[in-house]
């Protein structure tokens, strides 16, 4: 990406950014360790699948090698990240790994969590109370609480996104969307 | 002349009201998705695949392909007006495009980009028509060992060129392959990594994975920012002057050839084409000194190149069955989802479909030019919608898109999980492109490897004994070695990182 892209100012400015930076600098180590763990799990999990049979390579052949490769690559990455952190801190080289020189778009952790949790709650409610009600509540939450939009605007958009979309998808596009699993609500057409 | 007769039949079919309508819808949707922050045409295609399952396959593919190249045009709009590349391939356009906007010449920049895209797309599609027959005949002669080695070239290029770290590219590619392993093993019929969930016996559907990685992942990563507001140019500002056209013409010519040639290489994203076209202008253009301060060549060349690249990328897909970029990989997913396997056989199995789709590429490029340039004002109004509202609407769509593939809530959780994966990948700068490519190609790579070893009765020598396969392997090795050694150089050159997203 070119240097003059107008990405919203990064957290590098200060204030809460320092905690943020610290978290980010630990994240690559965690992810590298996770890559090693996934590789190991793939290796162990695929040994029972059959590495080789009369026809040639068995179902376990490919995943075994993938597992080995992931463990090795993950370890190398972990080593690189660790070495970058152990390097003495200088004014030109603040304690950040070399690979992290690219700009990361700004995120807000509370919003990220709100999005993830609300999506999981929506998924859990979808077949229980039906698409229409759960999507209505979901959209109202995002418009009113997360987005701080006005009540009337939020209600209109939420109604279109829930009841309107349900009608359009099930009737016009013949894509079925879930209805409520509770008989009382289902009888109401929800 | 055989190809051209088939193409004419394709036109007859592409111009039926139904197919024309879907090309139009695709162009409009693609442009909107290209403009919207947080969701590119790759995610857009992934979200819309489930909706196309009830459609006629030809119309479905026409619409998805139109979304694909329409997205590039939408990305141009935000690059020029806001200095924000909606798509990676438009990043380089920001430089001169935004400078032109600051000088009140946004309209001319957008119109030139539109004309250049049309010319570039048409040239590349003509190349597809010419190359289709001979290349697909060559493709039919490629056996499993050659296919495996050819895919390795694509992966090596992707890992080496797109990301700045070869190591991270390899990790991403391996993770994609591992996800592709989930499901019933294709040869023995044994369940692998399914966690005893019958839902995963058919494998993890790639639609929720792609929607999660590209859609939700991007929305999470940009959750702290607010989208800036553009001002739309008036219609009169849209008309390029005669000087503009005279200056842009050679740049468009060079961009079209660069994009067409680079688009042929599997694994290289359109961002590389636009970057190359821009740097070529910097070397050979008569006005090279003005580049960087709002020169029309700086918009014309990269925009022409990325659109001709997008269209040329259909050539390896149709003739060899290899998707050249993540976006094309998603499109390949749409083919597979519709029961069609892209590749040389497609020309004999479903010639009507292939030629209709190729003809629709011409039609779609023309539609984009005729519709989108005058509609710039309307598009910018989409950006004026508050970001929180846009985001809420996008959430509704990604939930429906994920659910609708198998009518299963599990896929929504899969989407959320891969949203987190996409978010984390962005935070630690792991490139997403290799993962997506291996995710889609995984089953093909594995069966090519296993079939090769069955033919040779377990002897790995088969990959070096067959001359074509050996050449492919050597090329892949050379690419990988070159990218390891030039890692530092690339960092200095500022190549786009995860350029296709």
């Amino acid at each position: 990406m070119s240097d003059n892209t107008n990405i919203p100012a990064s957290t590098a400015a200060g204030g809460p950014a320092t905690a943020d930076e610290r978290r980010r600098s630990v994240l690559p180590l965690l992810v590298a360790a996770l890559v090693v763990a996934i590789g190991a799990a793939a290796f162990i999990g695929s040994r029972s699948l059959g590495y080789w049979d009369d026809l040639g390579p068995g179902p376990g052949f490919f995943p075994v090698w993938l597992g080995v490769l992931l463990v090795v690559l993950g370890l190398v990455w972990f080593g690189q990240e660790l070495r970058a952190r152990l390097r003495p801190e200088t004014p030109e080289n603040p304690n950040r790994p070399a690979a992290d020189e690219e700009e990361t778009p700004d995120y807000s952790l509370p919003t990220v969590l709100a999005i993830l949790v609300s999506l999981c709650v929506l998924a859990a409610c979808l077949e229980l109370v039906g698409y229409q009600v759960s999507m209505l509540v979901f959209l109202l939450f995002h418009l009113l609480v997360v987005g701080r939009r006005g009540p009337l605007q939020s209600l209109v958009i939420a109604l279109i996104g829930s009841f309107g979309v349900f009608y359009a998808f099930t009737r016009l596009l013949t894509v079925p969307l879930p209805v409520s699993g509770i008989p009382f609500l289902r009888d109401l057409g929800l | 002349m055989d190809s051209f007769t088939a193409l004419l039949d394709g036109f007859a079919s592409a111009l039926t009201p139904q197919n024309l309508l879907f090309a139009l819808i695709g162009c409009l949707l693609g442009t909107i998705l290209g403009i919207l922050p947080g969701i590119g045409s790759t995610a857009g295609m992934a979200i819309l695949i489930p909706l196309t399952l009830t459609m006629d396959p030809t119309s479905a593919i026409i619409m998805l392909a139109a979304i694909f190249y329409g997205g590039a045009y939408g990305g141009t709009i935000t690059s020029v007006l806001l200095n924000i590349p909606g798509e990676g391939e438009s990043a380089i356009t920001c430089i001169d495009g935004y400078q032109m906007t600051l000088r009140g010449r946004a309209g001319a920049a957008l119109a030139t980009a539109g004309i250049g895209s049309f010319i570039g797309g048409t040239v590349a599609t003509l190349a597809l028509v010419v190359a289709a027959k001979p290349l697909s005949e060559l493709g039919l002669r490629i056996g499993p060992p050659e296919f495996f080695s050819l895919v390795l070239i694509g992966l090596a290029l992707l890992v080496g060129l797109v990301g700045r770290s070869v190591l991270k590219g390899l990790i991403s590619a391996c993770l994609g392959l591992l996800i592709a392993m989930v499901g019933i093993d294709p040869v023995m019929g044994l369940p692998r990594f399914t966690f005893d969930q019958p839902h995963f016996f058919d494998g993890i559907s790639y639609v929720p994975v792609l929607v999660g990685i590209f859609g939700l992942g991007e929305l999470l990563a940009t959750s702290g920012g607010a989208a800036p507001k553009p001002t739309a140019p008036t219609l009169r500002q849209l008309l390029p002057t005669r000087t503009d056209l005279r200056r842009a013409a050679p740049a468009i010519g060079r961009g079209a050839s660069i994009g067409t040639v680079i688009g042929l290489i599997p694994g290289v994203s359109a961002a590389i084409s636009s970057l190359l076209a821009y740097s070529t202008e910097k070397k050979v253009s008569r006005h090279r000194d003005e580049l960087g301060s709002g020169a029309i060549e700086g918009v014309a060349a990269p925009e022409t190149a990325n659109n001709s690249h997008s269209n040329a990328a259909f050539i390896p897909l149709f003739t060899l069955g290899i998707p050249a970029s993540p976006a094309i990989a998603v499109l390949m997913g749409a083919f597979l989802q519709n029961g069609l396997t892209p590749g040389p056989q497609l020309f004999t199995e479903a010639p009507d479909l292939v030629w209709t789709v190729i003809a629709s590429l011409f039609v779609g490029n023309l539609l984009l030019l005729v519709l989108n340039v005058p509609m710039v004002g309307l598009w910018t109004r989409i950006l004026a919608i508050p970001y929180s509202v846009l985001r809420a609407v996008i959430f509704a769509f990604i939930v429906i898109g994920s659910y609708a593939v198998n009518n299963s809530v599990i896929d929504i959780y899969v989407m959320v999980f891969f949203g987190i994966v996409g978010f984390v990948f962005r935070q630690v700068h792991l490139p997403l492109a290799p993962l997506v490519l291996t995710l889609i190609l995984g089953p093909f790579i594995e069966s090519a490897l296993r079939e090769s070893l069955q033919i040779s009765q377990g002897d790995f020598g088969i990959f070096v004994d067959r001359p074509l396969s050996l050449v492919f392997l050597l090329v892949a090795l050379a690419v990988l070695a070159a990218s390891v050694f030039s890692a530092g150089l690339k960092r200095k050159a500022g190549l786009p990182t995860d350029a296709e997203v």
Side-chain angles (χ1 to χ4, degrees), chain B residues 91-111:
Chain B
I92 200 84
T93 313
C94 284
I95 301 175
D96 282 275
Y98 188 60
Q99 285 297 326
M100 285 182 75
T101 298
L102 293 181
R103 295 171 177 203
R105 310 212 53 232
L110 287 172

Side-chain angles (χ1 to χ4, degrees), chain B residues 446-469:
Chain B
E446 191 190 6
S447 40
L449 177 72
R450 285 169 69 176
E451 277 167 26
S452 308
L453 290 174
Q454 280 173 11
I455 296 169
S456 70
Q457 292 170 324
D459 181 11
F460 282 89
I462 189 168
F463 294 106
V464 288
D465 287 345
R466 310 214 349 183
L468 200 55
S469 167

